[in-house]
mmCIF file with all atom_site columns, all heavy atoms in Angstrom:
data_model
loop_
_atom_site.group_PDB
_atom_site.id
_atom_site.type_symbol
_atom_site.label_atom_id
_atom_site.label_alt_id
_atom_site.label_comp_id
_atom_site.label_asym_id
_atom_site.label_entity_id
_atom_site.label_seq_id
_atom_site.pdbx_PDB_ins_code
_atom_site.Cartn_x
_atom_site.Cartn_y
_atom_site.Cartn_z
_atom_site.occupancy
_atom_site.B_iso_or_equiv
_atom_site.pdbx_formal_charge
_atom_site.auth_seq_id
_atom_site.auth_comp_id
_atom_site.auth_asym_id
_atom_site.auth_atom_id
_atom_site.pdbx_PDB_model_num
ATOM 1   N N   . GLU F 1 50 ? 21.557 -5.417  0.895   1.00 91.00 ? 50 GLU F N   1
ATOM 2   C CA  . GLU F 1 50 ? 22.448 -4.393  1.482   1.00 91.00 ? 50 GLU F CA  1
ATOM 3   C C   . GLU F 1 50 ? 22.192 -3.009  0.855   1.00 91.00 ? 50 GLU F C   1
ATOM 4   O O   . GLU F 1 50 ? 22.235 -2.022  1.655   1.00 91.00 ? 50 GLU F O   1
ATOM 5   C CB  . GLU F 1 50 ? 23.931 -4.839  1.243   1.00 91.00 ? 50 GLU F CB  1
ATOM 6   C CG  . GLU F 1 50 ? 24.379 -6.103  1.941   1.00 91.00 ? 50 GLU F CG  1
ATOM 7   C CD  . GLU F 1 50 ? 24.347 -5.926  3.430   1.00 91.00 ? 50 GLU F CD  1
ATOM 8   O OE1 . GLU F 1 50 ? 24.314 -4.786  3.981   1.00 91.00 ? 50 GLU F OE1 1
ATOM 9   O OE2 . GLU F 1 50 ? 24.440 -6.940  4.123   1.00 91.00 ? 50 GLU F OE2 1
ATOM 10  N N   . MET F 1 51 ? 21.845 -2.854  -0.357  1.00 92.00 ? 51 MET F N   1
ATOM 11  C CA  . MET F 1 51 ? 21.525 -1.574  -0.910  1.00 92.00 ? 51 MET F CA  1
ATOM 12  C C   . MET F 1 51 ? 20.169 -1.069  -0.368  1.00 92.00 ? 51 MET F C   1
ATOM 13  O O   . MET F 1 51 ? 20.053 0.103   -0.034  1.00 92.00 ? 51 MET F O   1
ATOM 14  C CB  . MET F 1 51 ? 21.377 -1.690  -2.432  1.00 92.00 ? 51 MET F CB  1
ATOM 15  C CG  . MET F 1 51 ? 22.739 -1.992  -3.131  1.00 92.00 ? 51 MET F CG  1
ATOM 16  S SD  . MET F 1 51 ? 22.648 -2.025  -4.937  1.00 92.00 ? 51 MET F SD  1
ATOM 17  C CE  . MET F 1 51 ? 22.299 -0.269  -5.327  1.00 92.00 ? 51 MET F CE  1
ATOM 18  N N   . ALA F 1 52 ? 19.220 -1.941  -0.131  1.00 95.00 ? 52 ALA F N   1
ATOM 19  C CA  . ALA F 1 52 ? 18.007 -1.574  0.476   1.00 95.00 ? 52 ALA F CA  1
ATOM 20  C C   . ALA F 1 52 ? 18.254 -0.969  1.882   1.00 95.00 ? 52 ALA F C   1
ATOM 21  O O   . ALA F 1 52 ? 17.592 -0.014  2.283   1.00 95.00 ? 52 ALA F O   1
ATOM 22  C CB  . ALA F 1 52 ? 16.998 -2.754  0.475   1.00 95.00 ? 52 ALA F CB  1
ATOM 23  N N   . VAL F 1 53 ? 19.027 -1.680  2.663   1.00 94.00 ? 53 VAL F N   1
ATOM 24  C CA  . VAL F 1 53 ? 19.294 -1.244  4.009   1.00 94.00 ? 53 VAL F CA  1
ATOM 25  C C   . VAL F 1 53 ? 19.944 0.162   3.917   1.00 94.00 ? 53 VAL F C   1
ATOM 26  O O   . VAL F 1 53 ? 19.548 1.125   4.784   1.00 94.00 ? 53 VAL F O   1
ATOM 27  C CB  . VAL F 1 53 ? 20.251 -2.179  4.778   1.00 94.00 ? 53 VAL F CB  1
ATOM 28  C CG1 . VAL F 1 53 ? 20.769 -1.555  6.054   1.00 94.00 ? 53 VAL F CG1 1
ATOM 29  C CG2 . VAL F 1 53 ? 19.609 -3.507  4.976   1.00 94.00 ? 53 VAL F CG2 1
ATOM 30  N N   . ALA F 1 54 ? 20.905 0.367   3.015   1.00 95.00 ? 54 ALA F N   1
ATOM 31  C CA  . ALA F 1 54 ? 21.499 1.752   2.894   1.00 95.00 ? 54 ALA F CA  1
ATOM 32  C C   . ALA F 1 54 ? 20.511 2.740   2.458   1.00 95.00 ? 54 ALA F C   1
ATOM 33  O O   . ALA F 1 54 ? 20.534 3.940   2.955   1.00 95.00 ? 54 ALA F O   1
ATOM 34  C CB  . ALA F 1 54 ? 22.668 1.587   1.866   1.00 95.00 ? 54 ALA F CB  1
ATOM 35  N N   . TYR F 1 55 ? 19.679 2.432   1.488   1.00 95.00 ? 55 TYR F N   1
ATOM 36  C CA  . TYR F 1 55 ? 18.588 3.358   1.032   1.00 95.00 ? 55 TYR F CA  1
ATOM 37  C C   . TYR F 1 55 ? 17.735 3.770   2.182   1.00 95.00 ? 55 TYR F C   1
ATOM 38  O O   . TYR F 1 55 ? 17.275 4.913   2.337   1.00 95.00 ? 55 TYR F O   1
ATOM 39  C CB  . TYR F 1 55 ? 17.858 2.833   -0.123  1.00 95.00 ? 55 TYR F CB  1
ATOM 40  C CG  . TYR F 1 55 ? 18.511 3.001   -1.438  1.00 95.00 ? 55 TYR F CG  1
ATOM 41  C CD1 . TYR F 1 55 ? 18.816 1.967   -2.300  1.00 95.00 ? 55 TYR F CD1 1
ATOM 42  C CD2 . TYR F 1 55 ? 18.811 4.305   -1.933  1.00 95.00 ? 55 TYR F CD2 1
ATOM 43  C CE1 . TYR F 1 55 ? 19.459 2.148   -3.505  1.00 95.00 ? 55 TYR F CE1 1
ATOM 44  C CE2 . TYR F 1 55 ? 19.438 4.462   -3.149  1.00 95.00 ? 55 TYR F CE2 1
ATOM 45  C CZ  . TYR F 1 55 ? 19.742 3.473   -3.993  1.00 95.00 ? 55 TYR F CZ  1
ATOM 46  O OH  . TYR F 1 55 ? 20.378 3.632   -5.178  1.00 95.00 ? 55 TYR F OH  1
ATOM 47  N N   . ASN F 1 56 ? 17.405 2.788   3.039   1.00 95.00 ? 56 ASN F N   1
ATOM 48  C CA  . ASN F 1 56 ? 16.525 3.020   4.248   1.00 95.00 ? 56 ASN F CA  1
ATOM 49  C C   . ASN F 1 56 ? 17.226 4.062   5.139   1.00 95.00 ? 56 ASN F C   1
ATOM 50  O O   . ASN F 1 56 ? 16.587 5.030   5.616   1.00 95.00 ? 56 ASN F O   1
ATOM 51  C CB  . ASN F 1 56 ? 16.284 1.705   4.965   1.00 95.00 ? 56 ASN F CB  1
ATOM 52  C CG  . ASN F 1 56 ? 14.819 1.306   4.809   1.00 95.00 ? 56 ASN F CG  1
ATOM 53  O OD1 . ASN F 1 56 ? 13.917 2.028   4.296   1.00 95.00 ? 56 ASN F OD1 1
ATOM 54  N ND2 . ASN F 1 56 ? 14.535 0.070   5.199   1.00 95.00 ? 56 ASN F ND2 1
ATOM 55  N N   . ARG F 1 57 ? 18.526 3.937   5.300   1.00 95.00 ? 57 ARG F N   1
ATOM 56  C CA  . ARG F 1 57 ? 19.241 4.763   6.212   1.00 95.00 ? 57 ARG F CA  1
ATOM 57  C C   . ARG F 1 57 ? 19.370 6.239   5.733   1.00 95.00 ? 57 ARG F C   1
ATOM 58  O O   . ARG F 1 57 ? 19.490 7.119   6.531   1.00 95.00 ? 57 ARG F O   1
ATOM 59  C CB  . ARG F 1 57 ? 20.661 4.201   6.530   1.00 95.00 ? 57 ARG F CB  1
ATOM 60  C CG  . ARG F 1 57 ? 20.653 2.770   7.138   1.00 95.00 ? 57 ARG F CG  1
ATOM 61  C CD  . ARG F 1 57 ? 19.881 2.682   8.415   1.00 95.00 ? 57 ARG F CD  1
ATOM 62  N NE  . ARG F 1 57 ? 19.819 1.302   8.979   1.00 95.00 ? 57 ARG F NE  1
ATOM 63  C CZ  . ARG F 1 57 ? 18.926 0.378   8.620   1.00 95.00 ? 57 ARG F CZ  1
ATOM 64  N NH1 . ARG F 1 57 ? 17.925 0.688   7.815   1.00 95.00 ? 57 ARG F NH1 1
ATOM 65  N NH2 . ARG F 1 57 ? 19.004 -0.812  9.119   1.00 95.00 ? 57 ARG F NH2 1
ATOM 66  N N   . ILE F 1 58 ? 19.376 6.407   4.413   1.00 95.00 ? 58 ILE F N   1
ATOM 67  C CA  . ILE F 1 58 ? 19.536 7.677   3.862   1.00 95.00 ? 58 ILE F CA  1
ATOM 68  C C   . ILE F 1 58 ? 18.186 8.340   3.536   1.00 95.00 ? 58 ILE F C   1
ATOM 69  O O   . ILE F 1 58 ? 18.066 9.451   3.044   1.00 95.00 ? 58 ILE F O   1
ATOM 70  C CB  . ILE F 1 58 ? 20.450 7.782   2.654   1.00 95.00 ? 58 ILE F CB  1
ATOM 71  C CG1 . ILE F 1 58 ? 19.888 7.043   1.509   1.00 95.00 ? 58 ILE F CG1 1
ATOM 72  C CG2 . ILE F 1 58 ? 21.796 7.380   3.031   1.00 95.00 ? 58 ILE F CG2 1
ATOM 73  C CD1 . ILE F 1 58 ? 20.751 7.217   0.172   1.00 95.00 ? 58 ILE F CD1 1
ATOM 74  N N   . GLY F 1 59 ? 17.098 7.599   3.842   1.00 96.00 ? 59 GLY F N   1
ATOM 75  C CA  . GLY F 1 59 ? 15.731 8.078   3.710   1.00 96.00 ? 59 GLY F CA  1
ATOM 76  C C   . GLY F 1 59 ? 15.069 7.882   2.390   1.00 96.00 ? 59 GLY F C   1
ATOM 77  O O   . GLY F 1 59 ? 14.025 8.464   2.138   1.00 96.00 ? 59 GLY F O   1
ATOM 78  N N   . ASN F 1 60 ? 15.742 7.050   1.522   1.00 96.00 ? 60 ASN F N   1
ATOM 79  C CA  . ASN F 1 60 ? 15.091 6.774   0.217   1.00 96.00 ? 60 ASN F CA  1
ATOM 80  C C   . ASN F 1 60 ? 14.306 5.463   0.413   1.00 96.00 ? 60 ASN F C   1
ATOM 81  O O   . ASN F 1 60 ? 14.669 4.401   -0.077  1.00 96.00 ? 60 ASN F O   1
ATOM 82  C CB  . ASN F 1 60 ? 16.079 6.651   -0.890  1.00 96.00 ? 60 ASN F CB  1
ATOM 83  C CG  . ASN F 1 60 ? 15.481 6.559   -2.254  1.00 96.00 ? 60 ASN F CG  1
ATOM 84  O OD1 . ASN F 1 60 ? 14.264 6.246   -2.427  1.00 96.00 ? 60 ASN F OD1 1
ATOM 85  N ND2 . ASN F 1 60 ? 16.228 6.813   -3.308  1.00 96.00 ? 60 ASN F ND2 1
ATOM 86  N N   . HIS F 1 61 ? 13.164 5.570   1.140   1.00 96.00 ? 61 HIS F N   1
ATOM 87  C CA  . HIS F 1 61 ? 12.388 4.356   1.457   1.00 96.00 ? 61 HIS F CA  1
ATOM 88  C C   . HIS F 1 61 ? 11.790 3.647   0.326   1.00 96.00 ? 61 HIS F C   1
ATOM 89  O O   . HIS F 1 61 ? 11.577 2.422   0.335   1.00 96.00 ? 61 HIS F O   1
ATOM 90  C CB  . HIS F 1 61 ? 11.396 4.656   2.536   1.00 96.00 ? 61 HIS F CB  1
ATOM 91  C CG  . HIS F 1 61 ? 12.054 5.375   3.717   1.00 96.00 ? 61 HIS F CG  1
ATOM 92  N ND1 . HIS F 1 61 ? 12.950 4.762   4.602   1.00 96.00 ? 61 HIS F ND1 1
ATOM 93  C CD2 . HIS F 1 61 ? 11.918 6.686   4.157   1.00 96.00 ? 61 HIS F CD2 1
ATOM 94  C CE1 . HIS F 1 61 ? 13.395 5.650   5.459   1.00 96.00 ? 61 HIS F CE1 1
ATOM 95  N NE2 . HIS F 1 61 ? 12.721 6.752   5.273   1.00 96.00 ? 61 HIS F NE2 1
ATOM 96  N N   . GLU F 1 62 ? 11.285 4.471   -0.681  1.00 96.00 ? 62 GLU F N   1
ATOM 97  C CA  . GLU F 1 62 ? 10.636 3.873   -1.828  1.00 96.00 ? 62 GLU F CA  1
ATOM 98  C C   . GLU F 1 62 ? 11.590 2.923   -2.578  1.00 96.00 ? 62 GLU F C   1
ATOM 99  O O   . GLU F 1 62 ? 11.203 1.777   -2.952  1.00 96.00 ? 62 GLU F O   1
ATOM 100 C CB  . GLU F 1 62 ? 10.062 4.974   -2.783  1.00 96.00 ? 62 GLU F CB  1
ATOM 101 C CG  . GLU F 1 62 ? 8.970  5.763   -2.274  1.00 96.00 ? 62 GLU F CG  1
ATOM 102 C CD  . GLU F 1 62 ? 9.339  6.942   -1.296  1.00 96.00 ? 62 GLU F CD  1
ATOM 103 O OE1 . GLU F 1 62 ? 10.627 7.013   -1.072  1.00 96.00 ? 62 GLU F OE1 1
ATOM 104 O OE2 . GLU F 1 62 ? 8.489  7.638   -0.776  1.00 96.00 ? 62 GLU F OE2 1
ATOM 105 N N   . GLU F 1 63 ? 12.847 3.391   -2.789  1.00 96.00 ? 63 GLU F N   1
ATOM 106 C CA  . GLU F 1 63 ? 13.851 2.524   -3.469  1.00 96.00 ? 63 GLU F CA  1
ATOM 107 C C   . GLU F 1 63 ? 14.137 1.280   -2.588  1.00 96.00 ? 63 GLU F C   1
ATOM 108 O O   . GLU F 1 63 ? 14.246 0.136   -3.073  1.00 96.00 ? 63 GLU F O   1
ATOM 109 C CB  . GLU F 1 63 ? 15.140 3.262   -3.675  1.00 96.00 ? 63 GLU F CB  1
ATOM 110 C CG  . GLU F 1 63 ? 16.101 2.573   -4.458  1.00 96.00 ? 63 GLU F CG  1
ATOM 111 C CD  . GLU F 1 63 ? 15.706 2.209   -5.954  1.00 96.00 ? 63 GLU F CD  1
ATOM 112 O OE1 . GLU F 1 63 ? 14.790 2.979   -6.486  1.00 96.00 ? 63 GLU F OE1 1
ATOM 113 O OE2 . GLU F 1 63 ? 16.231 1.328   -6.594  1.00 96.00 ? 63 GLU F OE2 1
ATOM 114 N N   . ALA F 1 64 ? 14.180 1.488   -1.273  1.00 96.00 ? 64 ALA F N   1
ATOM 115 C CA  . ALA F 1 64 ? 14.392 0.353   -0.311  1.00 96.00 ? 64 ALA F CA  1
ATOM 116 C C   . ALA F 1 64 ? 13.245 -0.732  -0.555  1.00 96.00 ? 64 ALA F C   1
ATOM 117 O O   . ALA F 1 64 ? 13.559 -1.914  -0.533  1.00 96.00 ? 64 ALA F O   1
ATOM 118 C CB  . ALA F 1 64 ? 14.533 0.830   1.044   1.00 96.00 ? 64 ALA F CB  1
ATOM 119 N N   . ILE F 1 65 ? 12.029 -0.214  -0.568  1.00 96.00 ? 65 ILE F N   1
ATOM 120 C CA  . ILE F 1 65 ? 10.883 -1.200  -0.739  1.00 96.00 ? 65 ILE F CA  1
ATOM 121 C C   . ILE F 1 65 ? 11.004 -2.004  -2.044  1.00 96.00 ? 65 ILE F C   1
ATOM 122 O O   . ILE F 1 65 ? 10.855 -3.142  -2.084  1.00 96.00 ? 65 ILE F O   1
ATOM 123 C CB  . ILE F 1 65 ? 9.539  -0.458  -0.598  1.00 96.00 ? 65 ILE F CB  1
ATOM 124 C CG1 . ILE F 1 65 ? 9.305  0.099   0.805   1.00 96.00 ? 65 ILE F CG1 1
ATOM 125 C CG2 . ILE F 1 65 ? 8.416  -1.299  -1.104  1.00 96.00 ? 65 ILE F CG2 1
ATOM 126 C CD1 . ILE F 1 65 ? 8.235  1.042   0.950   1.00 96.00 ? 65 ILE F CD1 1
ATOM 127 N N   . TYR F 1 66 ? 11.312 -1.223  -3.117  1.00 95.00 ? 66 TYR F N   1
ATOM 128 C CA  . TYR F 1 66 ? 11.483 -1.918  -4.403  1.00 95.00 ? 66 TYR F CA  1
ATOM 129 C C   . TYR F 1 66 ? 12.549 -3.031  -4.360  1.00 95.00 ? 66 TYR F C   1
ATOM 130 O O   . TYR F 1 66 ? 12.280 -4.133  -4.921  1.00 95.00 ? 66 TYR F O   1
ATOM 131 C CB  . TYR F 1 66 ? 11.825 -0.850  -5.543  1.00 95.00 ? 66 TYR F CB  1
ATOM 132 C CG  . TYR F 1 66 ? 12.260 -1.454  -6.808  1.00 95.00 ? 66 TYR F CG  1
ATOM 133 C CD1 . TYR F 1 66 ? 11.301 -1.879  -7.665  1.00 95.00 ? 66 TYR F CD1 1
ATOM 134 C CD2 . TYR F 1 66 ? 13.617 -1.495  -7.156  1.00 95.00 ? 66 TYR F CD2 1
ATOM 135 C CE1 . TYR F 1 66 ? 11.658 -2.448  -8.998  1.00 95.00 ? 66 TYR F CE1 1
ATOM 136 C CE2 . TYR F 1 66 ? 13.915 -2.100  -8.358  1.00 95.00 ? 66 TYR F CE2 1
ATOM 137 C CZ  . TYR F 1 66 ? 13.005 -2.564  -9.245  1.00 95.00 ? 66 TYR F CZ  1
ATOM 138 O OH  . TYR F 1 66 ? 13.330 -3.135  -10.441 1.00 95.00 ? 66 TYR F OH  1
ATOM 139 N N   . LEU F 1 67 ? 13.732 -2.720  -3.814  1.00 94.00 ? 67 LEU F N   1
ATOM 140 C CA  . LEU F 1 67 ? 14.781 -3.659  -3.800  1.00 94.00 ? 67 LEU F CA  1
ATOM 141 C C   . LEU F 1 67 ? 14.445 -4.838  -2.802  1.00 94.00 ? 67 LEU F C   1
ATOM 142 O O   . LEU F 1 67 ? 14.746 -5.997  -3.161  1.00 94.00 ? 67 LEU F O   1
ATOM 143 C CB  . LEU F 1 67 ? 16.055 -2.945  -3.291  1.00 94.00 ? 67 LEU F CB  1
ATOM 144 C CG  . LEU F 1 67 ? 16.723 -2.024  -4.277  1.00 94.00 ? 67 LEU F CG  1
ATOM 145 C CD1 . LEU F 1 67 ? 17.833 -1.177  -3.541  1.00 94.00 ? 67 LEU F CD1 1
ATOM 146 C CD2 . LEU F 1 67 ? 17.258 -2.885  -5.459  1.00 94.00 ? 67 LEU F CD2 1
ATOM 147 N N   . LEU F 1 68 ? 13.781 -4.613  -1.683  1.00 95.00 ? 68 LEU F N   1
ATOM 148 C CA  . LEU F 1 68 ? 13.394 -5.629  -0.789  1.00 95.00 ? 68 LEU F CA  1
ATOM 149 C C   . LEU F 1 68 ? 12.333 -6.556  -1.462  1.00 95.00 ? 68 LEU F C   1
ATOM 150 O O   . LEU F 1 68 ? 12.368 -7.806  -1.288  1.00 95.00 ? 68 LEU F O   1
ATOM 151 C CB  . LEU F 1 68 ? 12.899 -5.069  0.514   1.00 95.00 ? 68 LEU F CB  1
ATOM 152 C CG  . LEU F 1 68 ? 14.039 -4.340  1.362   1.00 95.00 ? 68 LEU F CG  1
ATOM 153 C CD1 . LEU F 1 68 ? 13.384 -3.459  2.409   1.00 95.00 ? 68 LEU F CD1 1
ATOM 154 C CD2 . LEU F 1 68 ? 14.854 -5.433  2.010   1.00 95.00 ? 68 LEU F CD2 1
ATOM 155 N N   . GLN F 1 69 ? 11.424 -5.993  -2.148  1.00 94.00 ? 69 GLN F N   1
ATOM 156 C CA  . GLN F 1 69 ? 10.473 -6.822  -2.778  1.00 94.00 ? 69 GLN F CA  1
ATOM 157 C C   . GLN F 1 69 ? 11.129 -7.642  -3.927  1.00 94.00 ? 69 GLN F C   1
ATOM 158 O O   . GLN F 1 69 ? 10.769 -8.766  -4.151  1.00 94.00 ? 69 GLN F O   1
ATOM 159 C CB  . GLN F 1 69 ? 9.388  -5.911  -3.444  1.00 94.00 ? 69 GLN F CB  1
ATOM 160 C CG  . GLN F 1 69 ? 8.400  -5.237  -2.454  1.00 94.00 ? 69 GLN F CG  1
ATOM 161 C CD  . GLN F 1 69 ? 7.514  -6.185  -1.739  1.00 94.00 ? 69 GLN F CD  1
ATOM 162 O OE1 . GLN F 1 69 ? 7.526  -7.439  -2.005  1.00 94.00 ? 69 GLN F OE1 1
ATOM 163 N NE2 . GLN F 1 69 ? 6.675  -5.625  -0.844  1.00 94.00 ? 69 GLN F NE2 1
ATOM 164 N N   . SER F 1 70 ? 12.130 -7.062  -4.555  1.00 91.00 ? 70 SER F N   1
ATOM 165 C CA  . SER F 1 70 ? 12.897 -7.890  -5.570  1.00 91.00 ? 70 SER F CA  1
ATOM 166 C C   . SER F 1 70 ? 13.562 -9.084  -4.844  1.00 91.00 ? 70 SER F C   1
ATOM 167 O O   . SER F 1 70 ? 13.697 -10.175 -5.495  1.00 91.00 ? 70 SER F O   1
ATOM 168 C CB  . SER F 1 70 ? 13.864 -7.057  -6.332  1.00 91.00 ? 70 SER F CB  1
ATOM 169 O OG  . SER F 1 70 ? 14.974 -6.674  -5.510  1.00 91.00 ? 70 SER F OG  1
ATOM 170 N N   . CYS F 1 71 ? 14.047 -8.893  -3.655  1.00 91.00 ? 71 CYS F N   1
ATOM 171 C CA  . CYS F 1 71 ? 14.750 -10.036 -2.911  1.00 91.00 ? 71 CYS F CA  1
ATOM 172 C C   . CYS F 1 71 ? 13.657 -11.134 -2.652  1.00 91.00 ? 71 CYS F C   1
ATOM 173 O O   . CYS F 1 71 ? 13.936 -12.270 -2.831  1.00 91.00 ? 71 CYS F O   1
ATOM 174 C CB  . CYS F 1 71 ? 15.163 -9.491  -1.517  1.00 91.00 ? 71 CYS F CB  1
ATOM 175 S SG  . CYS F 1 71 ? 16.665 -8.458  -1.635  1.00 91.00 ? 71 CYS F SG  1
ATOM 176 N N   . LEU F 1 72 ? 12.423 -10.756 -2.313  1.00 92.00 ? 72 LEU F N   1
ATOM 177 C CA  . LEU F 1 72 ? 11.416 -11.692 -2.014  1.00 92.00 ? 72 LEU F CA  1
ATOM 178 C C   . LEU F 1 72 ? 11.032 -12.436 -3.311  1.00 92.00 ? 72 LEU F C   1
ATOM 179 O O   . LEU F 1 72 ? 10.928 -13.650 -3.307  1.00 92.00 ? 72 LEU F O   1
ATOM 180 C CB  . LEU F 1 72 ? 10.117 -10.950 -1.542  1.00 92.00 ? 72 LEU F CB  1
ATOM 181 C CG  . LEU F 1 72 ? 10.248 -10.418 -0.084  1.00 92.00 ? 72 LEU F CG  1
ATOM 182 C CD1 . LEU F 1 72 ? 8.922  -9.644  0.251   1.00 92.00 ? 72 LEU F CD1 1
ATOM 183 C CD2 . LEU F 1 72 ? 10.488 -11.481 0.916   1.00 92.00 ? 72 LEU F CD2 1
#
Side-chain angles (χ1 to χ4, degrees):
E50 292 295 345
M51 290 183 72
V53 172
Y55 277 122
N56 255 346
R57 300 304 177 269
I58 64 173
N60 190 342
H61 307 295
E62 291 83 358
E63 186 65 24
I65 291 169
Y66 170 78
L67 287 167
L68 290 164
Q69 290 290 359
S70 74
C71 287
L72 292 174

